[in-house]
Amino acid sequence: MPGALVQSALCEGNCKHDFLWRTTWDLPERGHIGIFNRSYYEEVLWCGCILRARGASWCRPLLITKDIWKERFEDIHRLSGTLARNGTVIRKFFLHLSKKEQKQRFLARLDEPEKHWKFSEADIHERKYWDDYQQAYEEMICHTASKHAPWYVVPADNKWFTHLVVAAAIVETLEELDLSYPKVDAAKLKENPGCPQTAREK
């Protein structure tokens, strides 16, 4: 059973918990599909850029060591490994938007009334840290990609192409699971010979 989880942006309240908390709390149970549009990767990216470019963070000072990002990447690796060993299939998608296309989409939020709700001055402000974000993206992907939790870096300037690539990766993953409907063995049918006919009649 599929389900999409839309989490809010990072806030100060998130720091009352460990950085993995808000995602692990909502992991799907067995037999379900969960889709996260935000996760602990956002904190690695966003807080990482803040520390690099602005020297500030919501993280408690005692937690900010010279090895904080190495430690967090290791934590992510361990979590994904634990999930994989327990039967969870993980696929991660990074939708790579060019700086030019990002600007066009921001302007569309101003020019088109139906998109006004998407506009945020904070997004405009963050554009000046573009290079810091690119560095953070590269480091995150390089340090958290693995066989059991691969990253798919998808060009995102053209939405139709983005949707096609993501859908193809999901279909491929589902096919690899070799899923099938439960089968009723001969012994069960013999115990209840009238069940198939009764079900049709109802």
Side-chain angles (χ1 to χ4, degrees), residues 27-66:
L27 286 170
E29 60 188 88
R30 285 191 176 89
H32 288 234
I33 297 174
I35 302 172
F36 291 83
N37 78 319
R38 295 180 184 272
S39 69
Y40 37 78
Y41 291 103
E42 184 176 26
E43 181 169 320
V44 172
L45 289 169
W46 194 77
C47 290
C49 286
I50 287 179
L51 284 173
R52 288 189 183 93
R54 284 158 274 185
S57 175
W58 285 334
C59 298
R60 289 184 294 167
L62 290 176
L63 298 180
I64 303 174
T65 68
K66 63 182 179 66

Side-chain angles (χ1 to χ4, degrees), residues 153-174:
V153 180
V154 184
D157 282 6
N158 295 298
K159 292 183 178 180
W160 69 267
F161 182 76
T162 304
H163 297 164
L164 178 65
V165 172
V166 172
I170 293 174
V171 169
E172 181 182 45
T173 300
L174 291 173

Side-chain angles (χ1 to χ4, degrees), residues 65-130:
T65 68
K66 63 182 179 66
D67 295 321
I68 182 173
W69 305 122
K70 177 183 176 182
E71 292 165 353
R72 291 199 167 186
F73 291 146
E74 289 177 354
D75 290 338
I76 291 171
H77 259 305
R78 291 191 182 104
L79 176 62
S80 61
T82 298
L83 293 173
R85 284 192 296 274
N86 282 274
T88 299
V89 177
I90 303 169
R91 294 294 181 268
K92 303 175 293 192
F93 299 91
F94 174 66
L95 308 185
H96 184 56
L97 198 67
S98 69
K99 192 173 185 179
K100 179 180 178 181
E101 178 63 19
Q102 184 193 65
K103 180 179 180 180
Q104 291 176 345
R105 294 188 188 185
F106 283 162
L107 292 175
R109 294 176 185 181
L110 293 173
D111 297 336
E112 301 173 32
E114 66 274 16
K115 294 183 179 180
H116 284 177
W117 66 274
K118 294 182 178 182
F119 178 75
S120 169
E121 288 187 16
D123 290 334
I124 304 299
H125 175 73
E126 293 299 310
R127 273 179 62 82
K128 65 182 178 181
Y129 300 107
W130 178 271

Side-chain angles (χ1 to χ4, degrees), residues 137-150:
Y137 292 145
E138 184 175 349
E139 291 177 1
M140 177 199 71
I141 292 170
C142 289
H143 287 90
T144 61
S146 63
K147 184 177 180 180
H148 58 263

